[in-house]
């Protein structure tokens, strides 16, 4: 009887280089101790000078405007403003976490491990992708908010008139193009598929039979094309000009872009979204909007 | 050549001997004070807490700029949050009637209560930031490569658990910030196709954020999620050792 052996030579720990090793006590324990001490001290000082926020007692009848999720979820809340809720809030983060977890199974080469930016050109790739991520995110937010159109119009007198109004933001594609009536309910299943009817509880069932094409394009298709297409395009372009060579390079572009986009979404959601989630400058925010340390005036 | 004779023990030697070579000390620590390489290795190998480490590690890995201690600090935040969290639990009851008043009480009537609450809050934010930075350092040092693939996956799970820990804690003060943040957050989960509404219902224990949500979030926050996180951290640390310590260049 033969037992199948899967060969994975790389998955064996490297041989130790004993003459390069130092003792954990004192060398490492000392570093850990000092950093723990420094951190305790920092948190302690911060806690002395800055109080944790506590607003009025929870009241379901008094809506907070704007109501914001904790800051690390504001990236998703920002996406929610631009696309269909399930796509923004559930599908995008789930798919992204799966992609993130799959990184090591895509890039299995041991090249460049164990040291910062060890592969050739990795700093360059990181910087370029981060810049593209930052600029791209803001351009998309500003476009979809109609800010770009209104700046072009009021500062430079450029206006597409009614003909090009549909380019002002993605929702205008739905609202300002002459969609024929049939396009708003196109059957794609020959029968009605209902799932999880919650009945009187108010949620209703999810039904699958017809698709509202303009809304589908604006709420799902365009965002997904942007989120999948733009990173792919970036990797493709960098590959064509010879900067991206290995899988590691591609991941550096993807990851750095993600970090930048994510940071910008959190920033936009935290510092630039005011009442009714309108885009405002941070200094025009009233301070109770989830800013740490805020105490209501009494 | 004269062989060097040991001199007479000085007073310091005698005190040292009395302190570290007596019956009680040896019953606790087995080794002497870690001032010789032998004792230093023994102390790491025989002490449960230090035993998370190997006895010797590669030179480059003690350089602060290799890890910036980010993983270690994330873990340290977890420990600090446990300590301050337990202190807060002494005073906090997760009921809609009491939660908010208890927080006020902690801030005004409890000795160092405000300080404990502040530290718990800021450490929670710090942990979220640190775990993200730790992930970035692991990525940019290429430390997810074989044989560390699975530890990266364990890391991603820990990342999610950290978010969940923070998210469930967010509701507990039962103020407007908490209530509406969780309302928005749970609406995000509720938007999931097909399973969304049910998920939201299970999460909140109802259709809206209410008393049932508070007790659910509390239970998850103080026992279920910390336990899960601790288990995954144990796996994470164990795997670091099994995978041959931290990654280093070929
Ligand atoms: C609660 C969260 C976490 C804790 C407490 C934690 C703790 C640690 C510690 C103490 C180390 C040792 C080296 C260092 O300090 O950098 C480490 C290494 C590592 N962590 Fe984490 N970690 C967490 C989350 C993550 C995440 C989110 C990822 C990735 C997605 C990750 C992936 C790794 C990997 C691959 C290593 C091995 C690094 C190497 O070999 O150089 N960990 N972790």
């Amino acid at each position: 009887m033969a037992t199948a052996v899967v060969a994975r030579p790389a998955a064996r720990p490297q041989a130790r280089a004993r003459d390069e090793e130092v003792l954990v006590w004192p060398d490492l324990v000392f570093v850990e101790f000092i950093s723990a001490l420094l951190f305790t001290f920092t948190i302690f000082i911060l806690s002395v000078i800055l109080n944790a926020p506590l607003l009025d007692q929870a009241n379901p009848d008094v809506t907070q405007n704007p109501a914001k999720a904790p800051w690390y979820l504001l990236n998703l809340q920002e996406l929610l403003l631009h696309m269909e809720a399930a796509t923004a809030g559930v599908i995008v983060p789930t798919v992204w976490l799966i992609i993130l977890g799959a990184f090591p199974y895509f890039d299995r080469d041991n090249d460049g491990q164990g040291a910062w930016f060890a592969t050739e050109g990795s700093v360059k790739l990181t910087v370029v992708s981060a810049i593209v991520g930052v600029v791209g995110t803001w351009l998309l937010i500003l476009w979809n908010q109609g800010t770009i159109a209104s700046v072009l119009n009021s500062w430079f007198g450029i206006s597409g008139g009614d003909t090009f109004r549909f380019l002002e933001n993605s929702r205008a594609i739905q609202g300002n193009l002459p969609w024929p009536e049939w396009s708003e309910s196109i059957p794609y299943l020959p029968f009605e598929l209902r799932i999880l009817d919650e009945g009187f509880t108010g949620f209703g069932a999810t039904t699958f039979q017809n698709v509202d094409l303009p809304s589908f394009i604006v709420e799902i298709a365009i965002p997904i094309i942007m989120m999948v297409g733009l990173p792919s395009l970036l990797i493709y372009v960098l590959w064509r000009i010879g900067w991206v060579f290995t899988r590691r390079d591609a991941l550096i572009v993807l990851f750095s872009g993600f970090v930048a986009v994510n940071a910008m979404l959190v920033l936009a959601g935290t510092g630039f979204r005011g009442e009714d989630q309108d885009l405002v400058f941070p200094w025009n925010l009233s301070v109770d909007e989830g800013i740490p340390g805020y105490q209501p005036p009494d | 050549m004269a062989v060097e004779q040991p001199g007479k023990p000085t007073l310091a030697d005698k005190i040292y001997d009395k302190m570290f070579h007596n019956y009680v000390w040896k019953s606790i620590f087995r080794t002497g004070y870690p001032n010789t390489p032998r004792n230093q290795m023994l102390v790491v190998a025989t002490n449960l807490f230090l035993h998370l480490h190997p006895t010797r590690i590669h030179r480059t890995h003690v350089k602060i700029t290799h890890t910036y201690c980010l993983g270690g600090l994330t873990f340290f935040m977890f420990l600090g949050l446990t300590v301050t969290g337990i202190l807060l639990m002494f005073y906090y009851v997760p009921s809609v009637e009491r939660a908010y008043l208890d927080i006020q009480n902690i801030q005004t009537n409890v000795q160092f209560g405000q300080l404990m609450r502040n530290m718990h809050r800021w450490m929670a934010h710090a942990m979220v930031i640190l775990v993200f930075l730790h992930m970035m350092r692991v990525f940019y040092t290429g430390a997810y490569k074989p044989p560390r693939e699975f530890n990266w996956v364990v890391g991603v799970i820990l990342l999610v658990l950290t978010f969940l820990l923070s998210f469930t804690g967010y509701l507990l003060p039962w103020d407007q910030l908490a209530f509406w943040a969780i309302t928005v957050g749970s609406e995000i989960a509720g938007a999931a196709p097909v399973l969304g509404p049910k998920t939201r219902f299970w999460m909140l224990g109802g259709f809206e954020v209410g008393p049932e949500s508070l007790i659910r979030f509390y239970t998850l926050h103080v026992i279920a999620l910390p336990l899960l996180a601790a288990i995954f951290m144990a796996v994470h640390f164990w795997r670091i050792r099994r995978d041959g310590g931290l990654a280093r260049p070929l």
Side-chain angles (χ1 to χ4, degrees):
Chain A
M1 200 178 82
T3 316
V5 177
V6 183
R8 268 178 91 243
R12 196 168 300 142
Q14 270 164 283
R16 293 172 64 166
R18 294 197 183 259
D19 44 344
E20 294 284 304
E21 288 182 349
V22 293
L23 290 179
V24 160
W25 181 303
D27 293 80
L28 180 63
V29 176
F30 178 74
V31 173
E32 289 176 342
F33 182 68
I34 295 297
S35 66
L37 219 56
L38 276 178
F39 235 75
T40 313
F41 185 71
T42 313
I43 296 279
F44 180 81
I45 294 299
L46 184 68
S47 302
V48 168
I49 57 180
L50 204 61
N51 281 343
L54 188 67
L55 308 189
D56 293 334
Q57 185 160 15
N59 184 349
D61 300 327
V62 181
T63 322
Q64 289 278 99
N65 188 4
K68 291 189 182 181
W71 62 268
Y72 45 82
L73 287 183
L74 289 183
N75 45 4
L76 300 184
Q77 211 182 337
E78 177 67 32
L79 287 186
L80 225 46
L81 296 172
H82 303 284
M83 62 193 78
E84 194 262 335
T87 313
V90 181
I91 296 173
V92 168
T94 309
V95 169
W96 173 251
L97 282 171
I98 292 172
I99 292 177
L100 194 66
F103 271 20
Y105 300 92
F106 174 72
D107 167 28
R108 304 176 186 184
D109 192 331
N110 279 87
D111 227 21
Q113 75 174 18
W116 284 88
F117 299 106
T119 49
E120 208 190 317
S122 45
V123 175
K124 187 171 68 177
L125 286 176
T126 304
V127 172
V128 168
S129 335
I131 292 175
V132 172
V134 168
V135 175
T137 309
W138 277 110
L139 281 179
L140 282 175
I141 291 178
L142 290 175
W143 167 64
N144 203 26
Q145 204 65 31
T147 314
I148 293 186
S150 80
V151 165
L152 282 180
N153 192 0
S154 54
W155 290 12
F156 303 102
I158 303 172
S159 158
D162 284 347
T163 340
F164 294 108
R165 183 130 300 147
F166 73 94
L167 287 176
E168 277 182 1
N169 59 46
S170 76
R171 294 228 154 76
I173 296 174
Q174 187 180 1
N176 293 342
L177 279 184
W179 294 97
E181 203 160 315
W182 56 263
S183 69
E184 281 161 31
S185 181
I186 303 174
Y188 64 99
L189 278 186
F191 52 89
E192 190 182 46
L193 183 64
R194 301 176 126 250
I195 294 191
L196 267 193
D197 195 337
E198 293 286 336
F200 67 93
T201 53
F203 281 128
T206 313
T207 59
F208 302 86
Q209 186 178 23
N210 301 311
V211 61
D212 177 351
L213 188 64
S215 146
F216 177 81
I217 290 177
V218 168
E219 298 275 342
I220 297 178
I222 292 182
I224 288 183
I225 289 170
M226 300 273 183
M227 287 183 292
V228 177
L230 295 183
S232 312
L233 183 68
L234 180 63
I235 292 175
Y236 178 74
V237 169
L238 291 177
W239 172 67
R240 284 311 294 259
I241 65 173
W243 287 18
V244 165
F245 204 68
T246 60
R247 289 181 169 201
R248 169 74 175 158
D249 295 339
L251 282 193
I252 289 178
V253 175
L254 191 62
F255 186 78
S256 309
F258 154 73
V259 171
V261 169
N262 204 38
M264 289 308 111
L265 291 176
V266 167
L267 183 69
T270 314
F272 292 86
R273 289 286 174 187
E275 230 168 278
D276 300 331
Q277 301 290 350
D278 283 338
L279 215 48
V280 297
F281 284 109
W283 48 90
N284 293 333
L285 285 175
S286 56
V287 262
D288 63 341
E289 285 152 13
I291 305 256
Y294 171 78
Q295 298 282 319
D298 33 26
Chain B
M1 221 169 90
V3 178
E4 204 183 311
Q5 294 293 322
K8 276 195 149 183
T10 61
L11 182 63
D13 289 339
K14 283 184 187 154
I15 295 176
Y16 172 83
D17 213 44
K18 278 267 177 298
M19 279 175 68
F20 300 119
H21 289 162
N22 66 56
Y23 196 82
V24 176
W25 174 278
K26 288 258 166 158
S27 78
I28 304 172
F29 290 111
R30 304 284 185 226
T31 63
Y33 187 78
N35 56 353
T36 65
R38 177 182 172 276
N39 280 355
Q40 288 169 339
M41 284 194 262
L42 275 177
V43 78
V44 173
T46 57
N47 181 292
L48 171 68
F49 306 103
L50 291 173
H51 187 61
L52 285 176
H53 305 99
T55 54
R56 279 158 291 144
I57 60 169
H58 198 265
R59 257 205 350 248
T60 46
H61 295 149
V62 292
K63 279 226 188 86
I64 187 84
T65 49
H66 185 70
T67 62
Y68 291 96
C69 278
L70 288 164
L73 282 172
T74 312
F75 181 52
F76 186 61
M77 289 299 103
F78 183 73
L79 296 180
L81 284 160
T82 310
V83 173
T84 51
I86 288 175
L87 292 176
L88 291 173
M89 278 174 77
F90 289 156
Y91 303 97
Y92 175 88
V93 175
S95 79
V96 168
E97 292 75 35
R98 281 196 57 181
Y100 184 73
L101 300 177
D102 285 346
I103 298 286
Q104 280 185 327
N105 187 38
I106 286 171
Q107 296 193 154
T108 49
N109 295 336
V110 177
Q111 282 263 349
F112 300 121
Q114 176 84 64
L115 185 70
M116 281 309 118
R117 171 159 192 248
N118 292 352
M119 287 186 72
H120 196 75
R121 184 95 176 186
W122 301 143
M123 278 198 276
H125 286 314
M127 185 168 167
V128 173
I129 297 171
L130 286 167
V131 69
F132 200 89
L133 293 177
H134 169 62
M135 178 179 75
M136 288 174 68
R137 108 79 189 137
V138 170
F139 180 82
Y140 287 116
T141 57
Y144 58 79
K145 289 160 177 265
R148 298 177 181 76
E149 306 98 322
F150 187 65
N151 219 12
W152 170 271
V153 177
V154 173
V156 173
I157 295 171
L158 281 170
L159 179 78
V160 175
L161 285 175
T162 307
F163 285 149
L164 287 177
L165 270 165
S166 177
F167 183 70
T168 49
Y170 216 82
L171 180 66
L172 303 186
W174 201 249
D175 64 344
Q176 284 286 75
L177 188 60
F179 184 89
W180 291 103
I182 302 307
T183 300
V184 172
S186 65
E187 270 162 12
I188 294 181
V194 186
L195 292 181
K198 261 279 182 273
T199 311
R200 182 164 189 268
F201 186 87
W202 283 331
M203 196 165 127
L204 298 181
F207 294 104
E208 241 130 67
V209 180
E212 294 81 7
S213 328
L214 188 55
I215 192 73
R216 268 175 206 213
F217 275 52
Y218 177 78
T219 314
L220 290 172
H221 185 73
V222 303
I223 182 76
L225 291 169
L227 212 58
L228 259 183
I231 291 170
F232 276 98
M233 280 181 206
V235 175
H236 197 58
F237 300 158
W238 173 256
R239 294 290 300 219
I240 295 172
R241 296 285 306 273
R242 292 291 105 187
D243 295 338
L246 299 195
R248 66 197 152 81
L250 289 178

